[in-house]
Amino acid sequence: LTDIASAIGIHQLRKADRFHRRRTEIVEAYNHALKGVEELTLPQTMPDRIHSWHLCVLRLKLDRLKIDRAQFITELQQRGIGTSVHWQPLHMHPYYREIYGYAPSDFPTACSLYPEIITLPLFPGMTETDVTYVCDSIRNIVAANLKKAENRKQRAEV
């Protein structure tokens, strides 16, 4: 760590608890506002754990939507909401594929989750208005891209 980075880091450490509290509040607001959206799986916490909330990751239930994750992200970006995917299964990174010969099918659970996840904006400076806008945008995108109920029922029966 350079001297400059260390000097900045010392001052940031003084704010760490406040930043963590704010990120936790934002995730709680996301969860509260989006809890009724059946097309999403919201992040959960264990009662005996402290989550860092470095990231807030949603899972899209793609079988209920007409769009994929990339289009969902694009629609958020068109509304001025920056989001992305911060996780890729380790065995899918080029190094592990090339050196160890891993294939996506080697870890099917990780591969099945990967296309479903998006990371929501999460930083201490977010306002309640920001959080509400993100949640309203997510709800609107989901509502505009629902698969018809009978299509979902047919898929479930197959």
Side-chain angles (χ1 to χ4, degrees):
L1 205 58
T2 66
D3 289 345
I4 292 174
S6 297
I8 292 169
I10 287 171
H11 291 286
Q12 291 293 76
L13 281 174
R14 294 180 188 144
K15 301 174 185 179
D17 289 337
R18 181 169 41 100
F19 287 170
H20 179 258
R21 277 191 305 276
R22 181 63 187 139
R23 286 193 312 271
T24 301
E25 291 170 358
I26 293 166
V27 172
E28 288 171 356
Y30 278 148
N31 283 347
H32 179 73
L34 297 171
K35 70 181 172 192
V37 182
E38 295 179 11
E39 294 72 23
L40 305 174
T41 300
L42 303 174
Q44 302 295 311
T45 58
M46 301 293 288
D48 60 341
R49 306 282 170 26
I50 297 172
H51 198 297
S52 68
W53 293 120
H54 171 65
L55 300 173
C56 181
V57 178
L58 289 184
R59 283 180 51 201
L60 304 172
K61 294 181 183 177
L62 296 173
D63 61 325
R64 296 174 174 251
L65 298 170
K66 294 187 288 189
I67 59 173
D68 64 7
R69 176 186 61 192
Q71 185 60 40
F72 201 97
I73 289 172
T74 297
E75 293 209 20
L76 285 170
Q77 290 172 338
Q78 289 171 348
R79 290 167 170 81
I81 299 169
T83 187
S84 64
V85 178
H86 284 91
W87 175 81
Q88 180 181 22
L90 195 59
H91 71 289
M92 292 175 64
H93 285 263
Y95 175 82
Y96 291 92
R97 284 194 328 257
E98 293 166 13
I99 299 299
Y100 299 106
Y102 286 130
S105 59
D106 290 336
F107 298 94
T109 301
C111 285
S112 70
L113 294 174
Y114 178 60
E116 300 174 352
I117 60 173
I118 62 170
T119 302
L120 297 183
L122 179 62
F123 56 94
M126 287 185 77
T127 66
E128 298 307 315
T129 302
D130 295 334
V131 174
T132 299
Y133 180 70
V134 171
C135 292
D136 288 347
S137 296
I138 289 170
R139 285 176 166 281
N140 291 336
I141 293 167
V142 166
N145 292 286
L146 287 175
K147 285 186 179 175
K148 291 184 178 179
E150 62 266 13
N151 290 347
R152 287 199 313 257
K153 184 178 177 185
Q154 287 173 357
R155 289 178 63 120
E157 292 173 354
V158 172

